């Protein structure tokens, strides 16, 4: 996806980018490629692929959820900053927190947010399982995001404890989602959530399947969740 198509496709979804925002995406791409030579951030480094599979794909969350409001957002397991940083570029008013378990990725994100001059971004080097028990972050966010980090039942345990009652959890998933949804029903309910909707679309140009699951946080998450680091992955709630 070239930059012109990127801009046009977002415009069709009602997302208009200023020249400064377009420059921030350009800078993001160059910083990502430069740092990727020193550490493994992404297997995708071709410019048009980065714009399609990282930038546009990250922003697809905004096709199905209103980011034009005051929001505290937490991105769990953001890696090289997806989807949180592209969303922050497009919607600079959101308050963004990013949690990632690898210190080197947090170092990259510190450098990136400074270079892109992004404010109201908090970066946490932590496992999601322990991050969800911190008093200052547990049930603190209007919206919790995760992009293809783990199976839906596992993601629910890592993300729902961070969403405030009345808030939301948004999972960005690929073609394996329909099967995962069956296995995750009990987990979502147990953790205080209720599936609001499941949206499907195809990524432009390559036509691969994408799904966005929107879960409403209806009740407080029981205090024992998330379980100890590694446990949700080894023994998913089902």
């Amino acid at each position: 996806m070239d930059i012109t198509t990127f801009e046009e496709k977002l415009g069709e979804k009602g997302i208009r980018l200023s020249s400064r925002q377009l420059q921030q995406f350009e800078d993001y791409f160059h910083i990502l490629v430069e740092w990727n030579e020193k550490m493994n951030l992404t297997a995708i480094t071709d410019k048009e692929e980065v714009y399609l599979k990282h930038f546009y794909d990250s922003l697809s969350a905004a096709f199905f959820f209103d980011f034009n409001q005051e929001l505290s957002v937490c991105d769990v397991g953001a890696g090289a900053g997806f989807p949180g940083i592209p969303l922050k570029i497009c919607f600079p008013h959101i308050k963004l927190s990013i949690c990632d378990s690898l210190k080197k990725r947090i170092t990259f994100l510190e450098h990136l947010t400074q270079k892109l001059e992004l404010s109201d971004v908090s970066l946490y080097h932590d496992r999601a399982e322990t991050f969800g028990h911190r008093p200052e972050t547990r049930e603190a966010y209007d919206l919790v995001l995760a992009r293809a980090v783990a199976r839906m039942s596992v993601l629910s345990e890592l993300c729902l404890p961070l969403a405030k009652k009345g808030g939301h959890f948004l999972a960005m998933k690929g073609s394996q989602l329909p099967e995962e949804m069956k296995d995750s029903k009990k987990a979502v309910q147990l953790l205080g959530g209720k599936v609001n909707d499941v949206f499907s679309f195809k990524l432009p140009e390559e036509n691969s399947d994408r799904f966005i699951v929107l879960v409403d946080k209806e009740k407080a998450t029981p205090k024992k969740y998330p379980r100890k680091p590694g446990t949700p992955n080894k023994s998913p709630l089902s």
Side-chain angles (χ1 to χ4, degrees):
M1 177 177 276
D2 61 36
I3 296 166
T4 305
T5 309
F6 176 70
E7 193 176 3
E8 284 172 1
K9 289 284 183 190
L10 291 177
E12 288 170 13
K13 298 292 185 180
I15 300 173
R16 308 264 186 270
L17 298 178
S18 66
S19 55
R20 180 171 186 267
Q21 287 168 315
L22 286 167
Q23 186 59 54
Q24 284 175 309
F25 278 111
E26 272 291 274
D27 293 344
Y28 192 169
F29 166 71
H30 290 294
I31 294 166
L32 177 68
V33 170
E34 179 193 340
W35 277 62
N36 202 58
E37 291 174 6
K38 298 180 275 186
M39 62 176 75
N40 182 26
L41 291 166
T42 176
I44 299 167
T45 54
D46 174 78
K47 188 171 188 176
E48 294 198 355
E49 283 200 55
V50 169
Y51 268 81
L52 176 65
K53 295 179 181 176
H54 284 328
F55 297 165
Y56 183 88
D57 193 33
S58 292
L59 295 172
S60 66
F63 305 164
F64 306 100
F65 188 88
D66 182 13
F67 282 82
N68 291 302
Q69 55 183 316
E70 291 299 315
L71 283 174
S72 55
V73 178
C74 182
D75 182 358
V76 175
F82 310 118
I85 299 294
L87 287 163
K88 176 68 178 173
I89 291 172
C90 285
F91 304 96
H93 61 276
I94 65 173
K95 290 181 177 164
L96 176 66
S97 294
I98 291 177
C99 170
D100 198 272
S101 60
L102 273 186
K103 178 61 179 162
K104 65 178 185 178
R105 288 201 288 247
I106 294 295
T107 302
F108 163 73
L109 292 170
E110 285 168 350
H111 175 79
L112 179 69
T113 52
Q114 184 186 359
K115 288 294 184 184
L116 299 184
E117 298 180 341
L118 300 175
S119 57
D120 269 335
V121 179
S122 303
L123 303 170
Y124 297 90
H125 173 224
D126 204 348
R127 292 282 299 251
E129 294 95 330
T130 48
F131 188 65
H133 285 287
R134 290 189 185 200
E136 73 273 24
T137 55
R138 185 176 180 85
E139 303 199 316
Y141 297 99
D142 299 312
L143 178 67
V144 183
L145 294 163
R147 179 175 175 250
V149 175
R151 291 180 66 80
M152 191 65 196
S153 53
V154 178
L155 274 189
S156 299
E157 185 171 353
L158 301 180
C159 295
L160 274 167
L162 295 162
K164 60 173 69 165
K165 192 176 169 185
H168 309 277
F169 159 44
L170 188 152
M172 308 177 74
K173 303 290 292 178
S175 58
Q176 73 286 2
L177 178 83
E179 179 196 333
E180 290 181 20
M181 286 302 291
K182 296 173 201 163
D183 301 336
S184 66
K185 278 182 185 174
K186 182 184 173 185
V188 170
Q189 189 176 11
L190 181 65
L191 298 158
K194 183 183 180 184
V195 175
N196 176 309
D197 215 334
V198 179
F199 306 98
S200 63
F201 67 102
K202 288 195 182 290
L203 201 61
E205 299 183 3
E206 68 170 34
N207 286 322
S208 51
D209 291 322
R210 292 290 188 273
F211 293 91
I212 296 218
V213 186
L214 185 61
V215 177
D216 297 337
K217 179 77 174 278
E218 293 192 324
K219 295 179 290 189
T221 301
K223 286 181 182 175
K224 67 177 179 178
Y225 301 108
R227 291 165 293 165
K228 290 178 182 176
T231 307
N233 230 4
K234 283 180 202 156
S235 308
L237 298 169
S238 60

